[in-house]
Amino acid sequence: MKLSLLIPTVPATVEQAVPFARQVAHDSQLTRLWQGQSYGLEPAATFAYLAGAGHRVPVGTSVLVTPLRRPAQAALEARTLAAVTGHPAVVGYGPGSRAVQQERLGAAYDDPVAASADFLRATRHCLAQPWDPPVPDTGADHRYHHAGETLPPVAHPRVQLALGVLRRRMARAAGEVADAAITWLTPAGYVGRVVTPAVAEGADRAGRPRPRVIAAVPVAVARRGRRPEALAHLAAGGHLVLPHYADMLTRAGVDVSTADPAAAAAALVAGGGFLYGTASDIAAGLVEYAAAGVDEVILNLTGVHSWYGTDETLLDLNEILAATASLHW
């Protein structure tokens, strides 16, 4: 299993991302630098700035919401990331919440899973990468009908298209159409019991190899004065109030309530969706993700960064990396 790093903040300036790009560039244990959806600076622009500043590291997005973009635009952004960094890029997409769909599109998707799969098919068609087979127009949501939408060919490293996955049906869709399935806040046991098998099922149904499974895992090292439930709330509170996250966590055996995000954050820690403890404890928790079939873990230190800043974030990160250095996933 590989380890990667999420930029642990939504950058207000591109310079805020530099210490984390530098860490990925100089630490052989870290595979990729990730950023989630931003309503401030566009992630592709942040990564392009980092590359231009000399930090040409592999990058990924986890996940960009489809209501904000058309497939041709998504394909253009994705191949730009690969071209400017000089590395294969992993670009994840998801439908976002029903509120986001309603606000950006005027109506929520009738079927978010089908719409997401169709968006991925259309984006792949726009990329028209030579190693991809022809993409049939089989999507159910024809707002992303891609007839005639292609881009002029440009040489670039490979773009891997991913779907954000929480529950079984989206995991099956990722198995059918994506290069990777990306989970967020999913405890290891749930990944192994639900996500990985469903991705494999979808791949088998489509007659293709199982896509990689990537898990973004919030973590924090236990230190005097720290409260894990507060750090979990900072890292995930915005997600815990959303019904689709609460539903996933309930299915995972984590008793959460969208009406009480503080209690939900405490439940997330108790249920293993937020890894807190010594660096060795966290390493042991990451081993469970490897056993669940996860191919890459994105270390998410957003809670630590929100409260304690960059220096303590990097201190936690380096202790975790030291604790995992001798592990054989």
Side-chain angles (χ1 to χ4, degrees):
M1 186 177 75
K2 298 177 179 178
L3 296 178
S4 291
L5 177 64
L6 180 76
I7 297 174
T9 183
V10 178
T13 67
V14 287
E15 289 81 6
Q16 290 176 331
V18 169
F20 309 105
R22 187 181 295 123
Q23 182 81 25
V24 172
H26 292 100
D27 196 312
S28 61
Q29 285 182 260
L30 293 173
T31 298
R32 191 175 301 276
L33 183 67
W34 292 80
Q35 185 177 357
Q37 176 63 59
S38 169
Y39 291 92
L41 303 183
E42 170 59 41
T46 298
F47 287 138
Y49 168 85
L50 293 172
H55 309 293
R56 290 167 59 90
V57 299
V59 300
T61 64
S62 172
V63 296
L64 305 179
V65 297
T66 57
L68 289 178
R69 47 188 46 82
R70 293 280 302 170
Q73 175 199 3
L76 186 60
E77 290 174 352
R79 77 177 190 183
T80 298
L81 284 179
V84 300
T85 63
H87 298 281
V90 183
V91 187
Y93 301 101
S97 67
R98 289 183 62 83
V100 168
Q101 297 162 25
Q102 180 75 39
E103 180 181 357
R104 302 297 172 181
L105 301 174
Y109 294 131
D110 292 334
D111 187 335
V113 174
S116 299
D118 195 47
F119 184 94
L120 212 71
R121 292 186 186 97
T123 302
R124 195 183 302 281
H125 178 83
C126 293
L127 282 167
Q129 298 178 113
W131 48 78
D132 287 325
V135 181
D137 185 15
T138 57
D141 191 325
H142 294 287
R143 78 184 72 209
Y144 295 131
H145 185 74
H146 53 251
E149 285 194 352
T150 57
L151 297 173
V154 171
H156 59 82
R158 184 167 187 166
V159 172
Q160 299 174 27
L161 299 178
L163 279 181
V165 167
L166 291 180
R167 292 172 286 189
R168 190 182 302 275
R169 188 161 169 254
M170 188 70 87
R172 283 198 297 263
E176 292 177 0
V177 304
D179 299 308
I182 305 174
T183 73
W184 187 270
L185 300 183
T186 46
Y190 177 82
V191 175
R193 187 177 69 255
V194 175
V195 174
T196 303
V199 172
E201 179 186 337
D204 287 344
R205 189 160 59 186
R208 61 197 297 262
R210 193 208 82 178
R212 295 189 304 130
V213 175
I214 301 170
V217 182
V219 298
V221 174
R223 302 189 191 281
R224 186 173 183 176
R226 289 187 176 182
R227 294 187 296 120
E229 67 279 3
L231 294 176
H233 186 259
L234 286 170
H239 294 87
L240 295 175
V241 299
L242 298 175
H244 53 304
Y245 277 92
D247 180 70
M248 176 275 293
L249 288 166
T250 299
R251 293 168 188 263
V254 180
D255 185 16
V256 298
S257 168
T258 57
D260 190 347
L268 184 69
V269 176
F274 183 98
L275 299 184
Y276 183 82
T278 67
S280 295
D281 293 334
I282 293 170
L286 296 176
V287 168
E288 294 184 16
Y289 280 92
V294 172
D295 301 287
E296 180 178 344
V297 160
I298 306 168
L299 297 172
N300 174 1
L301 291 125
T302 303
V304 177
H305 189 274
S306 298
W307 200 316
Y308 297 103
T310 297
D311 289 345
E312 286 214 31
T313 299
L314 294 176
L315 178 63
D316 275 24
L317 174 63
N318 283 299
E319 288 189 11
I320 294 167
L321 293 176
T324 60
S326 62
L327 295 178
H328 300 287
W329 308 107

